[in-house]
Amino acid sequence: MYYFLLAFTYGISILPLWLLYFISDGLYLIIYYVVGYRKKVVFENLRQAFPDKTNKEITLLAKKYYLNLTDMMVETLKLLTIRPKELERRFICDLTVLHELYAKGKSCQLHLGHNFNWEWANQFCMQGVQFPFLVVYMPLTNKAADRLFRHFRERSGSILLPANDIKESIQPWLSKQYLIALVADQNPGNPRRCYWYPFLNKMTAFYKGPEMTAKRNDIPVVFADIRKTKRGYYHATLKLAFEEPLQAPDGAITEAFVQFLEKNIREQPEVWVWSHRRWKHEYKASTK
């Protein structure tokens, strides 16, 4: 099954991007108008985040989101065959802050949200840094699909660490310099072991793990923001948020990231993943 999936995705990947975007247009029509993939969740999340927008504005924003979602699908497949120079032309990011941290002999913890296209960001970053590039991921239940997913990431040199065994899998790297990428806006499993902050007009739970890891190992924290400048083109910016995390008050790193992420979402909301069930937990004063 794995080799069948690999051959199928490779066959799609060799298509030119203009044709892949034609396929994306078709997928968008099917997912939005026929399947209605998580439309209820998307519209509820958008209305909560933007209560001042009209129904027409919310619908337009939802449609833009779904088209960006299908664009990401075909763009991710394109990673199998895209040339490094082509990726550098389409994904722009100044990596100076990472080079400077490496020159100082430090490791780095990169915090980002579910902004399109984080898969292109991973491969671009891998091509441009000297650090071993660690990526935390959640293993898929289907073994063939999980193997294919790992192939996409590992072929460029990324080192995947399973999220369900992160403490053990990161141990060999703690005595070395490394860059670890963490998608830090996931919905946490246990609302009693989180930080709670206002986020998109609702008290929201955030994992303590990224901040605790940065402090435990005294690793500088860099925030990343990804913007879509036009179809097939992205621009990312990196911000050195905490060079000495041990000096930050408890919760300060997470709170700063939440504010950073919300600002970026409000400026370009259609590139954030609205179909996630992000607000599964309800805030109670006793859980903070």
Side-chain angles (χ1 to χ4, degrees):
M1 178 59 71
Y2 164 72
Y3 290 107
F4 172 79
L5 288 174
L6 183 61
F8 177 74
T9 54
Y10 186 84
I12 296 175
S13 181
I14 61 176
L15 298 174
L17 270 170
W18 68 264
L19 184 52
L20 288 176
Y21 287 129
F22 182 77
I23 294 173
S24 176
D25 291 339
L27 288 173
Y28 156 72
L29 294 175
I30 294 170
I31 291 175
Y32 184 82
Y33 288 103
V34 181
V35 178
Y37 171 70
R38 292 196 174 184
K39 282 180 74 171
K40 181 180 178 181
V41 174
V42 170
F43 276 83
E44 285 178 351
N45 288 343
L46 287 172
R47 290 191 180 105
Q48 173 188 282
F50 304 102
D52 296 334
K53 289 188 180 296
T54 64
N55 287 336
K56 184 177 180 180
E57 290 171 326
I58 292 293
T59 300
L60 179 60
L61 187 51
K63 289 179 177 180
K64 287 181 178 180
Y65 161 66
Y66 277 100
L67 185 56
N68 281 321
L69 178 65
T70 55
D71 277 0
M72 174 154 177
M73 292 177 185
V74 299
E75 287 171 355
T76 300
L77 294 180
K78 189 63 181 176
L79 283 177
L80 276 175
T81 57
I82 196 169
R83 297 172 184 161
K85 290 294 183 183
E86 178 69 3
L87 183 62
E88 290 175 10
R89 188 174 71 85
R90 291 177 171 274
F91 195 99
I92 306 298
C93 182
D94 184 353
L95 300 176
T96 300
V97 63
L98 302 182
H99 297 323
E100 291 175 347
L101 289 173
Y102 185 84
K104 293 178 181 178
K106 297 185 177 183
S107 293
C108 177
Q109 191 163 291
L110 187 66
H111 292 194
L112 66 157
H114 277 92
N115 288 41
F116 303 131
N117 184 330
W118 65 83
E119 294 293 348
W120 278 20
N122 285 339
Q123 186 151 322
F124 173 86
C125 194
M126 184 62 239
Q127 292 175 183
V129 299
Q130 296 169 283
F131 292 102
F133 188 44
L134 315 182
V135 178
V136 178
Y137 86 108
M138 182 59 70
L140 303 177
T141 303
N142 184 286
K143 291 184 178 181
D146 184 67
R147 186 177 176 186
L148 181 65
F149 174 82
R150 287 189 284 110
H151 176 73
F152 272 94
R153 292 282 184 83
E154 293 174 339
R155 66 184 296 275
S156 62
S158 298
I159 299 158
L160 299 187
L161 306 181
N164 53 5
D165 190 30
I166 184 64
K167 289 184 179 180
E168 185 67 26
S169 58
I170 200 175
Q171 288 300 317
W173 301 97
L174 294 181
S175 60
K176 310 171 185 177
Q177 276 185 270
Y178 63 88
L179 168 65
I180 184 168
L182 301 173
V183 181
D185 60 351
Q186 300 273 18
N187 183 65
N190 188 344
R192 294 186 175 276
R193 300 176 62 183
C194 315
Y195 291 119
W196 288 83
Y197 296 106
F199 177 65
L200 297 173
N201 296 320
K202 189 177 180 67
M203 288 297 289
T204 306
F206 286 85
Y207 276 114
K208 289 185 176 182
E211 174 169 330
M212 294 172 64
T213 301
K215 286 190 169 186
R216 184 185 305 118
N217 301 312
D218 198 23
I219 301 174
V221 176
V222 172
F223 295 164
D225 171 43
I226 304 172
R227 304 293 176 101
K228 189 170 189 174
T229 55
K230 62 180 179 178
R231 198 173 203 182
Y233 292 84
Y234 298 88
H235 185 274
T237 55
L238 303 179
K239 173 188 175 183
L240 179 57
F242 295 87
E243 187 165 2
E244 298 179 340
L246 276 175
Q247 297 183 10
D250 185 40
I253 296 174
T254 307
E255 183 175 17
F257 175 73
V258 171
Q259 294 172 354
F260 177 84
L261 178 63
E262 177 164 346
K263 177 179 180 295
N264 298 331
I265 290 172
R266 292 193 177 280
E267 290 174 354
Q268 195 179 41
E270 64 269 22
V271 301
W272 193 61
V273 177
W274 295 97
S275 51
H276 279 187
R277 299 184 185 278
R278 183 61 184 85
W279 289 277
K280 291 181 180 179
H281 308 303
E282 289 296 326
Y283 172 74
K284 298 179 182 178
S286 60
T287 63
K288 186 173 182 180

